[in-house]
Amino acid sequence: MTTTPTAAEEKNHILLVDDEKMNLMVLDNLLRDDYDIFMAKNGQGAIDKVKECHPDLILLDIIMPDMNGYEVLQKIRELDCALKNTPVIFITGLNSEDNEEKGLDLGAADYIAKPFNSAIVKLRVKNQLQIVNQLRIIERLSEIDQLTAIPNRRSLDKQMYMQWGRAIRSSIPLGFMMIDVDKFKVFNDTHGHQLGDLVLQTVAKVFGRVVKRSGDFFARYGGEEFSVVLPDTSMRGVLKLAEQIRKNVEETVITYDDGKTVQVTVSIGAHSHTPLQNESMKDFIACADAALYKAKEMGRNRVCSSGDLQP
């Protein structure tokens, strides 16, 4: 499964943009011990680097020959991706309030004046990155299911959107599963919600043991339903992994109340398709969902594919 490093596990990326080599060297010397530094010497180079290195913060000179900093910031804000929200600190020798107002109006986060004061540069960068990292932690927590500690529906939607677009651009198959814990409502009513929660947590751990390929993704869809996203995976690959999940869940013994045990099963709907530009992701998911209900109709504890739906 794809995991996202925390701020503590990797250095933040900073992009320095200035047409003066000396300014780049000074800033690099000030910041490189604490951050991963990338550089660009002009406006277009800055935009290209933003797409390439995904910086957490941009230090951007205002006065440059080909494209000034204001124009670069406007173009960054027009990018059709999350990178458009990357915070920008202008670095400038201009001291006019009108210039500062213009930059802030365009969405700049802060200003650093030339000539550089080492302590001020470090503090302004540190303050901006603290905000970035705090927002990242909040966003990450908002995408984790609190009961099972795996990604939630919001995170799944983001992953599906990304992988759907990638599959269209690269003309590769996208695999998907809808998974449902069999007779979970009856189980909850019989054994209580506390044991029901333990069942959901245990099933989620099975995904962690079985879904191991880098890039594959699993999440709690809602209630007792889970989903698995499998980039560049044919129906054969989806079915093979689905059967491994089904078998692992069936064989897992859940211990509770000082030695009592219980076992559960899951039904799985599997689908794989190479999407086209005009096709609907909603219809794609519906195919896996229909296969899941087919598995339930056929007696549960089994895997059905979208191919099983053909008359």
Side-chain angles (χ1 to χ4, degrees):
M1 174 188 173
T2 300
T3 56
T4 304
T6 64
E9 293 173 336
E10 63 172 14
K11 290 183 178 181
N12 285 113
H13 293 185
I14 297 178
L15 173 61
L16 308 177
V17 186
D18 199 307
D19 61 321
E20 293 289 339
K21 184 177 179 180
M22 183 58 68
N23 289 334
L24 291 175
M25 290 176 61
V26 170
L27 290 170
D28 181 45
N29 286 332
L30 284 175
L31 301 171
R32 65 186 176 190
D33 288 342
D34 298 313
Y35 311 105
D36 286 335
I37 303 299
F38 300 84
M39 300 183 193
K41 295 181 179 180
N42 54 56
Q44 187 55 53
I47 295 165
D48 293 340
K49 278 289 184 182
V50 167
K51 298 175 184 177
E52 175 189 333
C53 69
H54 296 192
D56 301 302
L57 178 66
I58 302 169
L59 270 60
L60 175 61
D61 189 22
I62 292 180
I63 305 301
M64 294 186 291
D66 65 325
M67 187 188 306
N68 67 43
Y70 300 130
E71 294 170 317
V72 174
L73 178 55
Q74 284 179 309
K75 288 186 177 295
I76 290 172
R77 294 296 180 248
E78 291 169 2
L79 292 174
D80 187 22
C81 59
L83 297 172
K84 67 182 180 182
N85 297 317
T86 305
V88 171
I89 297 178
F90 275 131
I91 50 178
T92 180
L94 302 174
N95 56 12
S96 163
E97 289 185 359
D98 289 341
N99 288 315
E100 184 173 352
E101 181 182 354
K102 180 177 180 179
L104 294 174
D105 186 55
L106 288 171
D110 205 346
Y111 267 76
I112 292 175
K114 299 177 183 178
F116 300 124
N117 178 304
S118 300
I120 293 297
V121 170
K122 289 183 177 182
L123 283 172
R124 290 186 186 276
V125 167
K126 179 182 177 182
N127 288 342
Q128 285 301 320
L129 287 174
Q130 281 181 337
I131 295 171
V132 167
N133 292 333
Q134 287 167 357
L135 289 174
R136 188 168 292 160
I137 290 170
I138 292 170
E139 182 178 8
R140 186 179 296 117
L141 290 174
S142 74
E143 294 179 357
I144 295 295
D145 177 62
Q146 296 304 302
L147 176 64
T148 61
I150 68 173
N152 59 17
R153 175 69 179 276
R154 178 182 179 185
S155 186
L156 172 69
D157 290 343
K158 285 179 63 176
Q159 186 69 202
M160 278 297 297
Y161 180 81
M162 180 178 69
Q163 295 298 346
W164 182 261
R166 176 174 175 260
I168 291 173
R169 291 191 301 272
S170 304
S171 297
I172 55 176
L174 180 61
F176 187 69
M177 296 181 211
M178 287 293 293
I179 303 168
D180 189 88
V181 180
D182 292 328
K183 298 183 178 179
F184 186 73
K185 186 178 185 305
V186 174
F187 184 92
N188 248 355
D189 292 343
T190 303
H191 298 283
H193 291 280
Q194 188 171 357
L195 184 53
D197 288 349
L198 179 59
V199 165
L200 296 177
Q201 291 166 342
T202 302
V203 170
K205 289 178 182 177
V206 170
F207 295 128
R209 295 199 302 267
V210 178
V211 184
K212 296 180 179 179
R213 191 182 63 167
S214 176
D216 291 349
F217 183 90
F218 55 84
R220 185 180 179 192
Y221 191 83
E224 69 273 23
E225 286 191 315
F226 299 85
S227 297
V228 180
V229 184
L230 303 168
D232 198 10
T233 306
S234 66
M235 181 63 84
R236 181 178 179 182
V238 179
L239 289 173
K240 181 180 179 180
L241 184 62
E243 179 56 26
Q244 290 176 354
I245 292 172
R246 186 207 64 77
K247 188 171 184 290
N248 270 264
V249 171
E250 182 183 35
E251 293 175 350
T252 298
V253 178
I254 303 170
T255 304
Y256 70 103
D257 284 354
D258 298 326
K260 293 180 183 178
T261 62
V262 68
Q263 290 170 270
V264 297
T265 61
V266 293
S267 298
I268 303 178
H271 184 46
S272 178
H273 177 64
T274 302
L276 302 175
Q277 190 68 48
N278 61 345
E279 291 182 326
S280 164
M281 187 170 68
K282 182 178 179 181
D283 291 341
F284 172 83
I285 294 172
C287 285
D289 205 35
L292 167 62
Y293 280 92
K294 182 71 172 180
K296 288 177 169 295
E297 289 174 2
M298 293 178 67
R300 298 183 174 86
N301 189 25
R302 66 186 64 230
V303 178
C304 282
S305 74
S306 52
D308 296 323
L309 303 174
Q310 303 301 322

